[in-house]
Amino acid sequence: MAVKIVDACVSCWGCLDVCPSQAIYEGDQQMMVRADKCTECVGDYADPQCASVCPVEMAILDSFGIAFNPPGSLTGIYPEKLAMVMEQD
Ligand code: SF4
Ligand code: SF4
């Protein structure tokens, strides 16, 4: 049971200090998660703290590969709305 940080991460360092398990480290291209240390914050917080502070959509996935912050969840610009606007141009 561990979250995964993927290449949408912009290495803002926001998640690094909020992890109660010191599971996050700086990789070559982006932040990474040590799967053997990540607890998904169970027992410490109600929500995964890394995903709670992450300002980027699609950067952190749960153990099923589902983004905590899916497209539109932070910007309010949902994919359907974006597609409509693009079609108008
Ligand atoms: S889910 Fe919690 S324990 Fe896992 S990397 Fe994120 S902050 Fe750390
Ligand atoms: S908070 Fe999000 S964008 Fe920032 S370093 Fe962590 S995973 Fe990457």
Side-chain angles (χ1 to χ4, degrees), residues 1-3 35 37-42 63:
M1 193 171 76
V3 307
K37 292 185 92 176
C38 173
T39 60
E40 295 198 9
C41 289
V42 173
S63 53

Side-chain angles (χ1 to χ4, degrees), residues 22-51:
Q22 289 78 50
I24 301 173
Y25 65 99
E26 186 179 18
D28 290 339
Q29 306 292 329
Q30 68 206 44
M31 292 297 163
M32 305 289 288
V33 175
R34 288 188 181 88
D36 61 334
K37 292 185 92 176
C38 173
T39 60
E40 295 198 9
C41 289
V42 173
D44 288 304
Y45 296 99
D47 301 302
Q49 293 301 285
C50 53

Side-chain angles (χ1 to χ4, degrees), residues 14 28 32 39 42 57 66-68 84-85 89:
D28 290 339
M32 305 289 288
T39 60
V42 173
E57 295 169 349
I66 297 171
F68 286 104
M84 282 174 54
V85 172
D89 287 344

Side-chain angles (χ1 to χ4, degrees), residues 3-7 9 15 24 30-33 59-61:
V3 307
K4 186 174 184 183
I5 296 176
V6 296
D7 60 4
C9 168
C15 57
I24 301 173
Q30 68 206 44
M31 292 297 163
M32 305 289 288
V33 175
I60 306 181
L61 312 181

